[in-house]
Amino acid sequence: MNVLDNQQVNLQPLKQNLLGMTLQDLEAFFIESGEKAFRASQVMKWLHQMLATDFDAMTNISKSLRETLKQTACIDVPAIVFDQTSSDGTRKWVMQLDAGNKIETVYIPESGRGTLCISSQVGCALDCSFCSTARQGFSRNLTAAEIVAQVFVASILLGKEHRDERKITNIVLMGMGEPLLNYDNVLKAITIFMEDNAYGLSKRRVTLSTSGVIPKLDLLGQQSDVALAVSLHAVSDAVRDSLVPINQKYPLKELMASCRQYINNQTAKSHITFEYVMLNGVNDSRQDAVKLVKLLKGIPAKVNLIPFNPFPDSGYDCSPMSVIKEFKELLMQAGLVATIRKTRGEDIDAACGQLVGKVEDKSRREKKFQDLRYGMS
Ligand code: SAH
């Protein structure tokens, strides 16, 4: 079955979508239906490694079990409503979940690795002032199956063109939404990404990015060792309150304490990536750089400076590249690892903070363009 053609609505909600089930969930599912637990790893491999989209493909499973599975379970994927590749190779998909809800998934190929940036919610409730997803508001959490389906579908679509090598080597939860506000489903999805019978990615290759929902961050540190990225963006509560409003609830001092604790909980040596969007005249002064060094003292940290991606009426400008480079130099002189994020996929609105119902925005733009052409504006 071609996933691109799979527009049908699943009319039997009692069927379980196997894509969102961890090995443990699948084992429980099979045991409950009187089957052997080892069926779980078999089915998991069929799904996430062989990318099977229907049960008939699962040839090492008896025909009668396949028939039972068709009655009780499904492999349900979203429809692809937009699929475009940028001039730099970045590829963006818009996936339709149900009537009103679309999400975006972005694939970023680089030499030696391919990163898939996935969404965890439809829209976002956090209202960060420099992020265009905020404009869309919050619609709903994704199910675990919908989070995993992005990787499943992308693997199938990328595989069509590049059959022999693994294209997705890294997964980042940096698309739409705040992953820690959809904790249970995100945790399940991460578990599936790292599961040997599924995608088998190491913990260094799965990154969760958060604006700092402290209670959930603390829980995550106890339950997972996924790589962590924290959207810091400011070095004082006053500035961060205005950029990342959740800071009013979970201020910097507490956030930094949580980050320290997260690192202490890790069994293996690790670091936290701090994301810092460069906004002209807002958070990009030399003093800001000096304060950032102080703030991160004692935390194994990498700083990722993100050039601001503008969008209409954002009210912000990106810092000049000379300022970003100087900021980076100041951090490096103080011994921090700092990088400047290369903006990718700008021409197809796939860059950070540009992931929106841009499809809607775009159709409005197109309409305006048509109106202009016909002299109606
Ligand atoms: N809610 C999560 C994950 C989604 S955002 C979080 O806050 O981390 C992924 C990254 O893109 C975040 O660091 C976010 O702050 C950044 N970002 C959002 N809008 C941006 C923009 N217009 N330009 C550059 N980076 C942006």
Side-chain angles (χ1 to χ4, degrees), residues 117 120 124 126 128 130-133 173-179 208-212 229-233 244 275-279 306-311 341 351-354:
C117 176
S120 56
C124 189
L126 290 183
C128 297
F130 57 90
C131 178
S132 66
T133 303
L173 284 129
M174 290 186 189
M176 290 162 85
E178 167 50 52
L208 184 150
S209 177
T210 180
S211 57
V230 172
S231 291
L232 194 62
H233 306 317
V244 185
E275 295 158 285
Y276 196 95
V277 65
M278 297 299 290
L279 300 166
I306 314 176
F308 171 64
N309 291 310
F311 55 92
R341 185 180 291 173
C352 303
Q354 292 186 318

Side-chain angles (χ1 to χ4, degrees), residues 49 113-116 166 168-173 189-208 224-228 262 266-271:
Q49 295 183 357
R113 70 187 207 167
T115 304
L116 194 72
R166 191 145 112 180
I168 300 171
T169 60
N170 294 63
I171 296 175
V172 295
L173 284 129
I190 289 173
T191 307
I192 294 169
F193 300 151
M194 299 201 222
E195 162 62 47
D196 282 343
N197 292 291
Y199 298 94
L201 296 177
S202 76
K203 59 179 186 169
R204 287 178 303 116
R205 293 182 178 274
V206 181
T207 303
L208 184 150
S224 170
D225 46 12
V226 66
L228 186 67
Y262 192 89
Q266 303 297 296
T267 40
K269 192 170 167 281
S270 60
H271 68 270

Side-chain angles (χ1 to χ4, degrees), residues 81-94:
V81 292
F82 179 93
D83 178 349
Q84 197 179 344
T85 305
S86 155
S87 53
D88 65 16
T90 301
R91 186 165 169 185
K92 171 169 124 170
W93 296 283
V94 177

Side-chain angles (χ1 to χ4, degrees), residues 35 68 125 146 168 186 203 254 317 329:
E35 286 291 332
T68 314
E146 287 166 339
I168 300 171
V186 163
K203 59 179 186 169
E254 290 170 31
D317 298 313
E329 277 311 309

